[in-house]
Amino acid sequence: MRLESDRLIIKDAAVEEASFYFELFNDPDWITYINDKGLRSVEQTKTYLENTLPKNALLNGLGFFTVISKETNEPIGMTSALQRDKLDFIDVGYALLPKGRGKGYASEATVLMMEYIKDTFEQEKVYAFTLPENERSKRLLENLGFAYIGKQSVFEGEKDCVYEFKF
């Protein structure tokens, strides 16, 4: 899969990007707001990707994708489109390294993914979720027109704030 905007390229994640994903997975905000994968080396991250990415190929266009800045041709983050067991519709996710934050890239990548989900999977809505304390993410979703619909346990443990966008 490959999507483009004026400033971004979104493409399938690749094992060769292990050093980038090691940096992203160990970013303090990733650990705080997403999870600590416990990957403490590029080699561990490479093994994780080798085990995870083939599953993407079985998802028929869903999965995890790398966000690349056209200006620098470097990865700056990731985005996802996944069908969770506990959700009725596909959800979109995003995470950027500090060098990609504050420039509107997360909004731009999310809009690209929403369009992709709508067009490819003919969805009537898309979900997004975030931890209740992640104010920046909640603000981004609301600015894109997502509506807060409540809290739900999407993963084990605490409840996430679930948002929906109706096409």
Side-chain angles (χ1 to χ4, degrees), residues 37-48:
K37 294 190 176 303
L39 302 171
R40 301 297 178 243
S41 70
V42 173
E43 194 58 40
Q44 285 179 331
T45 305
K46 181 179 179 189
T47 300
Y48 171 82

Side-chain angles (χ1 to χ4, degrees), residues 9-76:
I9 297 168
I10 296 177
K11 65 168 200 66
D12 291 318
V15 172
E16 297 77 29
E17 298 167 322
S19 60
F20 159 71
Y21 277 100
F22 170 70
E23 182 181 1
L24 182 65
F25 293 158
N26 286 282
D27 177 72
D29 281 354
W30 177 284
I31 292 169
T32 299
Y33 296 119
I34 300 175
N35 71 1
D36 184 352
K37 294 190 176 303
L39 302 171
R40 301 297 178 243
S41 70
V42 173
E43 194 58 40
Q44 285 179 331
T45 305
K46 181 179 179 189
T47 300
Y48 171 82
L49 293 172
E50 288 170 341
N51 292 328
T52 302
L53 296 183
K55 296 173 189 170
N56 273 3
L58 303 175
L59 297 175
N60 298 317
L62 297 175
F64 298 94
F65 308 97
T66 304
V67 177
I68 298 169
S69 164
K70 283 186 172 179
E71 181 181 343
T72 63
N73 201 34
E74 293 180 1
I76 57 169

